[in-house]
Amino acid sequence: MTAARKGGPAVSRGRGGRARPIRLGPRSVAALALVSAVGVVAFGWPLLAGGGSGLSDHAQDAPWLFAALLPLLLAVVVATIADVGLDAKAIAMLGVLAAAGAALRPLGAGTAGIEPMFFLMVLSGRVLGPGFGFVLGAVSMFASALLTGGVGPWMPFQMLSMGWVCMGAGLLPGPATLRGRRELWLLAAYGAVSSVLYGTVMNLQGWPYLGGLATGVSFVPGDPLADNLGRFVAYCLATSLGWDLPRAVVTVLLSLALGPAVLKALRRATRRAAFEAPVTFEAPKA
């Protein structure tokens, strides 16, 4: 469709293939890799730390870690804008989905780990791609923390973990060809696995600093990695599995029950927004 501007060139917009509000360009990939690398180190460094690493000072170090990680997360958004541009339509969709995710999360807070936001994050990442998914996951957890008063040193870890969950959904195979029940089962299976992995990774963030645990499940600074990993597995089985499994079950049920409607709505919205419509300039007709 061609639209003419008074006193200027005409703008021609065509229909692209699969609409994506955020595409991963070189700067976006570099920023995302940097954030992920810092996140892996932040989660896993206690397992490789020596006995005199001063883990008891974590409460004092956490605000500095928060201050270091959050700007890196925001750098993904900045790099994305610099690469391909984030127009008003993409910002509006990001805001709506992040608000919906933040509103869904408190519905099951404190009830056996039931978190209905996971299915929406997985489906959104699937339709809108890994770049949008990572930003959506991080922003949703940030908004949820502000909504529920859950701001603390754990928040950047939650933002990273949910960003990874949504990004992984955007990287699943067959985004343009796989449809119907096969896609729903793929998303449900991914949602179940990612729900458990999210809880496991978040356990790793806090487990090394918890005191008063039984010897068989407590972290021992300086012990061999295999020994501490064995204690960590025992800790997860004894404490968080009762939260992670219900989260996985709820994600599967909601994905299968509401998935067709939500996927259809998201895909219709991206088509109408025409995020990837190419723009060409033509001379005005005489």
Side-chain angles (χ1 to χ4, degrees):
M1 182 175 66
T2 301
R5 297 179 181 176
K6 290 184 179 181
V11 181
S12 175
R13 295 180 181 273
R15 291 186 178 182
R18 185 165 178 264
R20 285 285 175 86
I22 297 180
R23 292 171 294 165
L24 289 178
R27 296 190 190 95
S28 304
V29 171
L32 185 55
L34 176 61
V35 172
S36 298
V38 172
V40 169
V41 172
F43 276 110
W45 74 267
L47 295 175
L48 304 176
S53 58
L55 288 175
S56 60
D57 296 332
H58 173 63
Q60 299 176 4
D61 297 340
W64 294 102
L65 182 59
F66 176 93
L69 284 178
L70 191 53
L72 290 176
L73 287 169
L74 297 178
V76 176
V77 182
V78 175
T80 301
I81 295 173
D83 261 352
V84 297
L86 190 62
D87 61 16
K89 295 176 292 185
I91 293 175
M93 181 169 287
L94 176 64
V96 169
L97 291 175
L104 283 174
R105 189 174 180 226
L107 295 181
T111 310
I114 298 174
E115 294 186 59
M117 75 175 294
F118 268 75
F119 98 97
L120 179 61
M121 297 293 101
V122 170
L123 268 57
S124 298
R126 169 66 170 182
V127 173
L128 299 166
F132 188 95
F134 183 85
V135 176
L136 173 63
V139 172
S140 297
M141 294 305 292
F142 181 74
S144 173
L146 296 180
L147 181 65
T148 60
V151 178
W154 54 85
M155 190 177 74
F157 294 95
Q158 292 176 331
M159 294 171 65
L160 278 169
S161 300
M162 186 57 72
W164 287 334
V165 168
C166 296
M167 181 178 68
L171 295 173
L172 291 174
T177 58
L178 189 62
R179 294 291 185 269
R181 301 300 298 179
R182 292 175 58 196
E183 182 182 35
L184 286 179
W185 281 109
L186 173 66
L187 294 175
Y190 174 81
V193 173
S194 63
S195 296
V196 175
L197 289 179
Y198 174 88
T200 303
V201 170
M202 287 306 301
N203 284 341
L204 186 58
Q205 178 266 327
W207 167 68
Y209 316 108
L210 295 177
L213 295 176
T215 305
V217 297
S218 62
F219 174 72
V220 179
D223 264 20
L225 177 61
D227 293 346
N228 273 325
L229 284 178
R231 297 188 189 100
F232 176 66
V233 171
Y235 169 80
C236 291
L237 293 175
T239 58
S240 70
L241 196 60
W243 290 77
D244 297 337
L245 289 181
R247 183 191 299 121
V249 171
V250 169
T251 301
V252 169
L253 294 177
L254 290 177
S255 297
L256 295 177
L258 303 179
V262 174
L263 289 172
K264 184 178 180 180
L266 289 172
R267 284 174 174 142
R268 184 189 301 117
T270 55
R271 284 196 303 269
R272 290 183 176 179
F275 293 111
E276 293 185 348
V279 178
T280 59
F281 294 93
E282 300 175 354
K285 295 181 179 180

